[in-house]
Amino acid sequence: MRTSDIIRKKREGDSLSPDEIRHLIQGYAKGEIPDYQLSAWAMAVFFQGMDERETADLTMEMVRSGDVVDLSAIQGVKVDKHSTGGVGDTTTLVLGPMVAAVGVPVAKLSGRGLGHTGGTIDKLESFPGFSTSLSTTAFVRQVNDLGIAVMGQTAALTPADKQLYALRDVTATVDSIPLIASSIMSKKIAAGADAIVLDVKTGGGAFMKAEERARELAEAMVRIGTHVNRRTVAVISDMDQPLGRAVGNALEVREAIDTLRGEGPADLTELCLELGAHMVVLGGRADTPEEAKQRLKACLADGSALEMFRRFVQAQGGDARAIDHPELLPQADHVVEVTADRSGTVSALESETIGLCAMKLGAGRETKESDIDYGVGVVLEKKVGDPVREGDVLAVLHVRKGGPVDEVTEKLRFAIRIENHAVSAPVLIKGVVTP
Ligand code: URA
Ligand code: CA
């Protein structure tokens, strides 16, 4: 098999056979195929696309390039959730305990964040003592005993995807639906998922800014899942403004606790119920999303979701007293209010800039080596569609002594836009894609 023939075939718009895809991906992972040949192939894919079968084959070859987590010792259907990435996205912290409380096993591998705020692990580590370095045996045991565990990703999952992503990043080939879809799905499958719920974000703060592209990506991922026997559902949700109000690690933990008490922000609660409902259906604990939603709401109302969170934090060594006494969580030195310099209606909250502000305050990593400050961040007091009067508090900064308050205040004022005309609050759930 000659690599240049395979590249030519894709360049001409033909489908590659399973063997040809295996040759490319395994050859690349082993270092036998050079970057320049894989770059040429990625560009050919960018222009010619891939059909459903090819995309599924590419996904599974990336899965095979590395370790695959074996969760077969865990009883029940393991349903994983993936978000294409947002700002202040606190959903995992809420969803995990919520769906575990209705009996869907949650066996989650998570990573640390790079950029605007921390990842799920960073947020959980806001609890003093919390550890995600479990052995696989302890991880499996905890899921079977308690119903939920979160482990830091140590195994070398999908190395071919990591290499290919780095290559795409510097060859202008990231923005290809089949390449993105296979990249995301390969990571979930390698992490041991039987079924997958995807939260595909759209809008200013999202990877896929246009709703039409987000829908195409969602459909491509659902098709891959169906093809490889992992039931997959995708929810398309708005990321034109940050989710909930808090952006920052311990601040988001507080927000998650409020939400598990049934007192969280409306948008975060709505999205968690929607995603959770599909997880519960795929996990076989309800027949319809409506029935699943009722069960989840009952878990919030009777305190069992919060109790699950408490036991989960405790099981992983965290100080669970912080759930009732949030002052035990890391806190900033002081708060600074950002006020409106005019009256009107909030018309836009630029998620990316707000995320960047939280990072500047120390909530996120500028480089992989940076340390995170769990206590700092931004809490939004107004959301899109809210009326404001001059002098109203728009946001509260939680800062360290000597933090870049002036710089962040100025950026935030720019990110929170106010106009004279009325603006309606955006629709959060833009659609659901099922097989
Ligand atoms: N996120 C991924 O994991 N992969 C992509 O290709 C793009 C975004
Ligand atoms: Ca939030």
Side-chain angles (χ1 to χ4, degrees), residues 82 84 161 165 168 174 176 179-181 183-184 187 207:
H82 177 80
T84 59
D161 171 65
Y165 191 87
R168 287 163 57 208
V174 167
S176 150
L179 295 181
I180 300 168
S183 166
I184 293 173
K187 288 185 277 245
F207 185 67

Side-chain angles (χ1 to χ4, degrees), residues 53-64:
R53 200 264 314 141
E54 286 179 286
T55 314
D57 285 341
L58 173 60
T59 303
M60 293 313 288
E61 287 308 329
M62 294 203 288
V63 170
R64 283 182 204 113

Side-chain angles (χ1 to χ4, degrees), residues 81-99 106 108 120 123 148 197-199 201 235 237-239 243-244 246 252-253 255-257 259-260 267-276 279 309 428-429:
K81 189 236 32 168
H82 177 80
S83 155
T84 59
V87 174
D89 188 347
T90 318
T91 53
T92 302
L93 294 183
V94 179
L95 272 174
M98 206 164 74
V99 306
V106 175
K108 187 133 193 87
T120 297
K123 293 174 196 177
I148 176 171
V197 173
L198 300 159
D199 179 14
K201 309 280 195 190
V235 172
S237 73
D238 177 70
M239 214 352 114
L243 194 59
E252 289 184 50
V253 167
E255 183 167 70
I257 294 168
T259 307
L260 287 166
D267 58 350
L268 178 61
T269 305
E270 182 187 353
L271 185 60
C272 288
L273 285 172
E274 182 73 31
L275 295 169
M279 293 176 77
F309 191 44
L428 179 65
I429 311 286

